[in-house]
Amino acid sequence: MEAFNHRLNTYIDSWMGPRDPRVRGWFLLDDYPPTFVCTILYLLMVWMGPKYMKDRQPYSCRRILVVYNLALTLLSLYMFYELVTAVWQGGYNFFCQDTRSAGAADDKIIHVLWWYYFSKLIEFMDTFFFILRKNNHQITFLHVYHHATMLNIWWFVMNWVPCGHSYFGATFNSFIHVLMYSYYGLSAIPAMRPYLWWKKYITQGQLVQFVLTMIQTSCAVVWPCGFPMGWLYFQISYMITLIVLFVNFYIKTYKKHGASRKKDYRNGAVASVNGHTNGTAPAETVKHRKPRAD
């Protein structure tokens, strides 16, 4: 295994160039296979999990979902706060920021972004809970694509560009995840469901995040500062894929469902709040629950 890792690392380094020595020896970062294996195991879970649960009763997971989502809310809040303060401390430039220009602020951002990378591994549990609860309609291509790619992308980011212009997307995404995981934590409490009205705006916030990240990344192409151009072009391309997929999700989830609800009202049907009435989810509303875009 050590010989294989050495050959693989040599190949990756010859392709990508020298790694950033500031993350040498950090957990999961020296070798790519652990990250790749975790991704393969995740995809196997997506494929085999629903089959395993097919003839079994769904699990509630209510209490653990509250704890899990609260923990990710707090982690996202911590990352957002630390990134914002480090960017302010280092006087980061919105238009372009190199990876070796802010001293101690760079080091702080590197440490926070490692947690951001690791959080993408933790977030595989989102899908695990969908499978246990038999919410298979939530396991969309967008959901799997986003989860599987982010962990791998951030392994490469942490090894080559772990600070500088890489900060923006992670900062904005951490803020969105504060809103998103707090929403899902509260939605696991039946009595809170009628009061949760902002899910639609979380998706809108995600789309704003992708557009602003693409604009901010493009600024570094127009006004370069030494940040590697290859990374900038890749990030722009990746943002485009997310924008296309999230716009498609938004249209299918909210525009079509909105038209369907208007038709129900015209036919005299009684609509429930967020698909729930008195904190319970009737069987007929569960079937049409909005898929989760994260």
Side-chain angles (χ1 to χ4, degrees):
M1 180 59 73
E2 289 184 8
F4 172 75
N5 281 335
H6 178 73
R7 287 196 298 270
L8 181 61
N9 286 337
T10 301
Y11 172 75
I12 293 175
D13 292 349
S14 67
W15 176 44
M16 302 289 295
R19 302 189 192 194
D20 195 308
R22 290 172 291 185
V23 298
R24 189 66 55 81
W26 287 26
F27 183 58
L28 293 177
L29 293 186
D30 278 353
D31 302 309
Y32 179 58
T35 296
F36 181 74
V37 168
C38 287
T39 306
I40 294 300
L41 292 175
Y42 170 74
L43 295 175
L44 286 173
M45 176 183 71
V46 170
W47 176 50
M48 299 178 63
K51 297 182 180 188
Y52 175 80
M53 289 296 298
K54 182 177 180 181
D55 298 319
R56 290 173 170 81
Q57 289 297 315
Y59 294 91
S60 171
C61 303
R62 184 174 299 164
R63 292 180 181 178
I64 193 171
L65 278 172
V66 172
V67 174
Y68 168 76
N69 285 291
L70 175 61
L72 279 176
T73 300
L74 294 176
L75 177 58
S76 299
L77 183 61
Y78 160 77
M79 293 188 293
F80 175 72
Y81 173 79
E82 290 293 306
L83 286 169
V84 168
T85 55
V87 165
W88 182 267
Q89 172 191 334
Y92 265 41
N93 189 323
F94 173 85
F95 297 100
C96 189
Q97 184 71 33
D98 196 11
T99 58
R100 293 183 177 275
S101 53
D106 283 344
D107 293 334
K108 183 176 181 180
I109 285 176
I110 292 171
H111 281 82
V112 180
L113 289 186
W114 179 87
W115 278 106
Y116 185 77
Y117 154 75
F118 189 68
S119 73
K120 301 308 162 190
L121 180 60
I122 298 173
E123 288 169 13
F124 282 175
M125 294 296 294
D126 291 359
T127 315
F128 180 67
F129 288 126
F130 287 158
I131 292 170
L132 287 182
R133 299 167 68 201
K134 299 186 76 170
N135 286 348
N136 296 334
H137 63 284
Q138 304 274 39
I139 309 173
T140 61
F141 174 79
L142 166 59
H143 176 88
V144 176
Y145 170 78
H146 188 43
H147 277 64
T149 55
M150 284 292 284
L151 179 69
N152 290 269
I153 288 170
W154 275 91
W155 183 87
F156 285 95
V157 170
M158 288 306 301
N159 270 286
W160 278 272
V161 284
C163 58
H165 215 63
S166 303
Y167 82 92
F168 186 81
T171 304
F172 209 136
N173 187 245
S174 296
F175 173 72
I176 294 295
H177 277 196
V178 171
L179 304 179
M180 187 180 76
Y181 283 109
S182 62
Y183 173 92
Y184 285 110
L186 292 171
S187 69
I189 305 172
M192 293 298 299
R193 290 171 185 161
Y195 307 102
L196 303 178
W197 48 267
W198 65 88
K199 182 177 181 181
K200 176 180 179 180
Y201 301 104
I202 295 173
T203 307
Q204 292 178 353
Q206 288 171 311
L207 284 168
V208 170
Q209 168 202 331
F210 302 141
V211 172
L212 288 182
T213 300
M214 188 170 67
I215 292 172
Q216 190 255 3
T217 305
S218 300
C219 288
V221 175
V222 178
W223 299 287
C225 63
F227 193 90
M229 281 288 176
W231 286 102
L232 300 174
Y233 291 130
F234 172 79
Q235 174 135 304
I236 292 170
S237 301
Y238 185 64
M239 288 300 109
I240 290 173
T241 68
L242 291 181
I243 290 170
V244 170
L245 290 171
F246 270 78
V247 166
N248 180 63
F249 164 83
Y250 187 85
I251 292 172
K252 286 184 176 180
T253 302
Y254 298 108
K255 298 298 183 181
K256 292 183 178 180
H257 285 196
S260 176
R261 282 195 296 270
K262 288 180 181 178
K263 183 177 179 181
D264 289 341
Y265 275 119
R266 287 196 300 267
N267 292 335
V270 179
S272 60
V273 180
N274 286 337
H276 300 91
T277 304
N278 298 326
T280 60
E284 63 270 20
T285 60
V286 171
K287 293 179 182 177
H288 302 288
R289 190 178 300 160
K290 296 183 182 70
R292 174 171 169 175
D294 52 4

